[in-house]
Every structure is written in structure tokens, then in C-alpha cells.
Amino acid sequence: LKPEEVNLDYEMTVEELVAFLPEKPAIQTVYGWVSDEKIPYIKRGKRLFFVKRAIIQWNLDGRPANSDNITELAQTYVANHHPGDRKRR
């Protein structure tokens, strides 16, 4: 394993973040998230960094719903939850 794969305090670049995230978003998408403050980041001078621990937590927290992703979240929910699938008490 590379040190950055083990170190949760590792500060990823935008390119490393894109490679790390499961959906492999476009770099421009990441910049949009930063601009809209939807993703945790650190800015040093003109460079952006993303702490691996914060990104893992952000991903686990389900990325809060917003106007950009609410339709996708709703469609995913409806596709995966069918009436009658709930256990009745």
C-alpha cells in the first residue's frame, strides 16, 4: 500500500479526489461542489486539497440532498423501495 492509501489525514489534490470517489466525477463538477460549499476542502493559496478522512465521512453521510441531486436521490429511492416490502408490526 502507498502511504496516502493508509493515512486518513492525507490531503488529496483534485485529481486524486476524482480518482478516489466511486463515481469518478468530472474535475469541473468538483470545482462546482467547492464553489457551492457542498464538499469539505482546504485552500492553500490557489490550490485545493481534500482531507481523506473528511471525504470518507462526507461520502458516508450520504451527501446532503440539494437542488442538483434531489431528483436523482428520489429516483434511486423509488427504484429500490417497493410498496409492501416493509415489515409490518
Side-chain angles (χ1 to χ4, degrees), residues 12-43 46-51 55 58-59 63 66 68:
M12 297 181 281
T13 64
V14 173
E15 293 81 7
E16 290 172 320
L17 174 71
V18 167
F20 179 73
L21 291 173
E23 72 274 15
K24 311 293 184 238
I27 289 176
Q28 196 58 38
T29 300
V30 174
Y31 284 123
W33 291 341
V34 168
S35 177
D36 295 339
E37 298 187 0
K38 294 179 181 176
I39 189 169
Y41 68 94
I42 298 170
K43 188 170 182 181
K46 294 181 179 182
R47 299 215 42 201
L48 293 173
F49 296 95
F50 305 86
V51 178
I55 296 301
W58 172 76
N59 216 16
R63 302 182 192 179
N66 58 62
D68 295 333

Side-chain angles (χ1 to χ4, degrees), residues 72-83:
E72 179 184 343
L73 292 172
Q75 290 171 339
T76 301
Y77 179 85
V78 169
N80 293 316
H81 294 83
H82 304 287

